[in-house]
Amino acid sequence: MKDGEPVKDKYGSVKVKNGEQEIRIYKDYPEPFPLYPGEILRKIDNLTVVPRDYALKVRANRTFTDSEGKKHEAGDEWLVKGPTIYVPKICLLYTSDAADDMQCVDLGGR
């Protein structure tokens, strides 16, 4: 998309990014938008609610720059801390709840 219009090649055909996906939510796209040739609509049924004092561990599956301007390399891992609603992103893989990766050690102390 460029200036709200689909990008076309020299023959007037709409350029399609084969294999690419995009997630659009109402917060970012409150107005209806058209589907262009080659695009399909899929519904996301559930969003993950991350409670206070919890976190999700995510991994970048490709290099990208986030909405805050920070660059993440493919393979980088970090925590998405609650409270928040985790909206899936195509460039991120949800790996686990952070608590699943932690282990407690009994130090004795008696």
Side-chain angles (χ1 to χ4, degrees):
M1 295 286 291
K2 188 174 184 180
D3 300 323
E5 293 296 319
V7 177
K8 297 182 179 181
D9 63 14
K10 65 182 179 180
Y11 303 107
S13 298
V14 175
K15 288 186 176 182
V16 178
K17 293 181 178 179
N18 291 322
E20 289 293 314
Q21 296 181 4
E22 180 180 7
I23 296 175
R24 295 183 180 187
I25 59 173
Y26 180 78
K27 180 182 83 170
D28 300 327
Y29 297 91
E31 297 296 319
F33 53 88
L35 290 177
Y36 291 103
E39 294 183 330
I40 59 170
L41 180 66
R42 278 195 275 173
K43 184 179 176 184
I44 296 176
D45 292 325
N46 298 318
L47 296 177
T48 303
V49 176
V50 184
R52 184 172 171 234
D53 298 329
Y54 282 82
L56 298 178
K57 187 166 89 172
V58 295
R59 182 182 328 122
N61 61 7
R62 64 175 107 170
T63 301
F64 75 101
T65 303
D66 67 17
S67 59
E68 298 171 359
K70 183 175 180 184
K71 185 175 180 179
H72 298 277
E73 297 292 330
D76 286 355
E77 292 183 338
W78 64 96
L79 298 176
V80 175
K81 297 177 183 175
T84 191
I85 296 175
Y86 176 70
V87 178
K89 294 176 178 49
I90 298 302
C91 49
L92 294 179
L93 294 173
Y94 162 75
T95 59
S96 67
D97 294 334
D100 292 344
D101 293 340
M102 297 179 190
Q103 297 179 1
C104 294
V105 177
D106 183 3
L107 298 177
R110 293 184 183 181

